[in-house]
């Protein structure tokens, strides 16, 4: 019997095409880039011809590689169909990244909404900042990500809008016009932080950052302690221990956008988007303008 094509190596080969390179394929497969390279070299030994070639810093498939890619997809699809008919394989878990603002206080319900929409898939959540999640989805390390606003040139669909609120501890008062406003915010880069500073300076105040945090809970804790004012998107009302300040100009709402890795089943993305729209429908009708002006490509 001649040499055989290995399904694991074929899955790696397809991941290179769908994720856009060896490094991204390694992230998507939760393996190392040397392992991806080893799989390609093993396939080349079986086929007896080069499958990829370097052109400067990029890599492209040879004619033999393009032919193998077509056959690999057919073989993998046939294998998955056979395993499903035999009841021997469950589809892999979906990894979904979510910004903390969207999941705050409602993560179990949010998880339940997605699980109900995708009954044949396990769902694993990862909480992080928008830029980190967007990068992970682009690299294929996440299947989907729910992020703030519109990251430039990233595609995806808008599923909701969250109102932006000025938040502070109960009884907290703005300083006199000649005093600096204490602000608590995420560490840079953070577009909402810059928007808050720009708005307050436009009203004639100077701004002093009293607390920087790497996560939402840190910002909320500093605001609850009375260390300053915060501008944050909130999905379901004002967080406990804080009050909304209505004496400052409304900042409208900011979009929630669902993005997906390259190659994800379109039906999975559509089902998730519809579930998220239903879940966030109570806040999507917020009566204010969408804050598209915020350059969220550098936001939290």
């Amino acid at each position: 019997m001649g040499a055989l094509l290995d399904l694991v190596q074929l899955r790696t080969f397809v991941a290179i095409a769908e994720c856009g390179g060896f490094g991204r394929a390694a992230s998507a497969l939760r393996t190392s880039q040397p392992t991806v390279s080893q799989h390609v070299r093993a396939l080349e030994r079986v086929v007896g011809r080069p499958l990829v070639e370097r052109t400067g810093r990029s890599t492209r498939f040879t004619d033999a590689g393009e032919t193998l890619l077509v056959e690999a997809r057919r073989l993998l699809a046939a294998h998955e169909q056979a395993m499903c008919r035999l009841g021997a394989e469950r589809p892999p878990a979906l990894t979904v990244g979510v910004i903390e603002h969207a999941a705050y206080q409602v993560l179990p319900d949010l998880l339940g909404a997605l699980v109900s929409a995708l009954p044949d898939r396990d769902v694993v959540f990862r909480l992080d900042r928008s830029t980190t999640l967007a990068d992970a989805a682009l690299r294929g390390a996440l299947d989907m990500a729910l992020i703030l606003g519109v990251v430039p040139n990233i595609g995806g669909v808008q599923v909701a809008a969250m109102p932006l609120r000025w938040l502070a501890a109960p009884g907290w008062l703005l300083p006199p016009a000649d005093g600096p406003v204490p602000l608590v915010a995420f560490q840079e880069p953070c577009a909402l932080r810059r928007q808050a500073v720009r708005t307050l300076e436009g009203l004639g105040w100077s701004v002093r950052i009293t607390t920087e945090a790497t996560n939402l809970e840190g910002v909320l804790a500093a605001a609850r302690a009375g260390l300053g004012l915060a501008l944050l998107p909130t999905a379901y009302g004002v967080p406990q221990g804080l009050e909304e300040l209505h004496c400052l100009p409304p900042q409208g709402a900011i979009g929630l956008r669902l993005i997906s890795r390259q190659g994800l089943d379109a039906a999975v993305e559509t089902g998730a988007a519809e579930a998220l729209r239903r879940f966030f429908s109570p806040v999507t009708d917020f009566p204010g303008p969408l804050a598209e002006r915020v350059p969220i490509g550098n936001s939290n």
Side-chain angles (χ1 to χ4, degrees):
M1 181 180 294
L4 299 177
L5 292 169
D6 184 280
L7 290 177
V8 173
Q9 295 167 1
L10 291 176
R11 187 170 287 112
T12 298
F13 196 71
V14 172
I16 293 170
E18 294 183 342
C19 299
F22 282 52
R24 291 180 176 181
S27 296
L29 296 170
R30 280 71 169 176
T31 189
S32 65
Q33 188 165 333
T35 298
V36 171
S37 298
Q38 289 170 9
H39 287 182
V40 172
R41 287 195 295 271
L43 290 171
E44 288 177 332
R45 288 194 294 271
V46 172
V47 174
R49 284 178 289 174
L51 299 174
V52 296
E53 61 183 13
R54 297 281 183 181
T55 55
R57 293 186 177 180
S58 63
T59 302
R60 73 175 189 87
F61 291 124
T62 62
D63 290 343
E66 293 287 355
T67 300
L68 179 63
L69 181 61
V70 173
E71 298 300 333
R73 284 174 168 149
R74 288 176 180 168
L75 286 169
L76 291 172
H79 175 264
E80 291 174 5
Q81 291 165 8
M83 295 297 285
C84 287
R85 286 194 297 270
L86 294 169
E89 184 173 3
R90 181 177 176 83
L94 287 171
T95 54
V96 181
V98 181
I99 55 165
E100 294 176 292
H101 311 75
Y104 184 72
Q105 296 180 323
V106 294
L107 180 57
D109 296 330
L110 182 56
L111 176 58
L114 281 174
V115 168
S116 298
L118 306 166
D120 297 328
R121 305 294 291 266
D122 294 326
V123 181
V124 178
F125 272 82
R126 170 182 164 185
L127 300 180
D128 216 318
R129 301 177 67 173
S130 290
T131 47
T132 303
L133 295 176
D135 179 68
L138 285 174
R139 290 186 290 104
L142 288 175
D143 292 304
M144 294 181 286
L146 185 64
I147 62 174
L148 280 180
V150 181
V151 177
N153 304 317
I154 201 167
V157 293
Q158 182 161 308
V159 296
M162 297 172 65
L164 292 171
R165 306 179 194 272
W166 296 105
L167 302 173
W172 189 90
L173 298 174
L174 283 165
D178 58 348
V181 175
L183 184 70
V184 299
F186 282 90
Q187 288 182 351
E188 291 282 23
C190 178
L192 293 181
R193 165 178 170 160
R194 294 193 294 275
Q195 180 175 344
V197 171
R198 185 169 60 248
T199 300
L200 293 169
E201 289 180 344
L203 294 171
W205 277 292
S206 60
V207 177
R208 180 169 60 92
I209 306 296
T210 58
T211 304
E212 292 183 325
T214 59
N215 55 52
L216 178 62
E217 195 55 50
V219 175
L220 294 175
R224 290 188 182 110
L227 298 179
L229 174 71
L231 177 64
L232 294 171
T234 59
Y236 286 91
V238 176
Q240 185 177 6
L242 294 172
E243 291 181 348
E244 184 173 3
L245 296 183
H246 297 282
C247 55
L248 291 171
Q251 298 298 295
I254 193 165
L256 279 176
R257 201 162 188 85
L258 181 68
I259 61 174
S260 303
R261 65 167 173 81
Q262 187 176 8
L264 183 68
D265 186 344
V268 171
E269 181 178 8
T270 299
E274 291 175 353
L276 290 169
R277 287 192 183 100
R278 289 193 299 269
F279 183 81
F280 287 108
S281 59
V283 296
T284 298
D285 297 329
F286 176 74
L290 190 63
E292 297 285 5
R293 65 185 181 279
V294 182
I296 300 300
N298 294 318
S299 81
N300 45 300

